[in-house]
Amino acid sequence: MPSGPFRELPPPQAPRGGRWWQGALRRFVLLALLGSLALGLGACAAASRPPQGTLLNALALQIQLTQADVAQALSLESVGVPVVSRVRVEQQEPITIGQGQGLRIAGRFDWRLGKDPFRVDAPFEIFLERGDRGESWRLARPSGQAPEGEQEWLTYPLPLRTSTS
């Protein structure tokens, strides 16, 4: 056997008593624990997302508010209530809205106006502020910069309970 840092390793041997399955069982249990931990962390991230119904309501309200702003600027009437469906969230990140906690959510959604047969697939970016007790959400819209350079927000309440969760 050579001396120094390069020594020959002994050949691998099966565990004594034929209990090879104990090592395999330990590895399986370790992988199962790591997998459940990863699923648990993923569930926490999903739990912080507002319910689907809240997203639908927030998008419909954002369309209505934008319509009202445009109609007022052009001295026109708003053209119907939007019907929002199929929300696909692509990004979500926590943000601070005023003194509260919120989310910036971006993705795509389908919508149409009232009885209009044409459905539009459109990108979106909305800001939602979480209620004080974490049970409610408010639509938040940037309204300009404060003199200190901090973003100011206008917030609008969303229904507590929705038919689609």
Side-chain angles (χ1 to χ4, degrees):
M1 190 178 325
S3 62
F6 301 107
R7 292 186 294 162
E8 229 178 274
L9 295 175
Q13 296 178 355
R16 292 185 185 164
R19 296 194 180 178
W20 59 269
W21 56 270
Q22 286 179 337
L25 182 62
R26 276 193 209 108
R27 283 190 291 280
F28 175 76
V29 169
L30 179 62
L31 286 174
L33 287 173
L34 290 174
S36 66
L37 177 62
L39 285 175
L41 291 175
C44 290
S48 67
R49 179 181 295 172
Q52 185 79 359
T54 299
L55 289 174
L56 293 171
N57 287 330
L59 288 165
L61 179 56
Q62 179 149 307
I63 292 169
Q64 286 176 317
L65 293 169
T66 302
Q67 267 186 327
D69 291 345
V70 170
Q72 182 181 8
L74 299 175
S75 300
L76 300 171
E77 283 189 36
S78 292
V79 263
V81 178
V83 177
V84 178
S85 61
R86 279 193 60 214
V87 176
R88 281 119 29 228
V89 174
E90 296 168 355
Q91 294 178 338
Q92 175 179 311
E93 64 181 313
I95 61 168
T96 300
I97 298 176
Q99 300 299 318
Q101 295 298 313
L103 293 174
R104 177 197 161 272
I105 301 174
R108 298 193 69 79
F109 73 112
D110 294 348
W111 69 283
R112 62 183 172 82
L113 286 176
K115 296 178 183 181
D116 189 347
F118 298 104
R119 190 174 69 194
V120 178
D121 176 28
F124 74 88
E125 176 183 59
I126 58 173
F127 301 94
L128 297 177
E129 178 183 37
R130 187 179 275 279
D132 292 336
R133 289 187 245 151
E135 298 170 0
S136 63
W137 294 91
R138 297 175 65 85
L139 175 65
R141 297 178 78 196
S143 66
Q145 297 285 326
E148 305 83 39
E150 191 173 303
Q151 178 68 57
E152 291 186 339
W153 299 87
L154 294 174
T155 62
Y156 304 85
L158 296 169
L160 252 181
R161 300 213 187 270
T162 58
S163 59
T164 308
S165 332

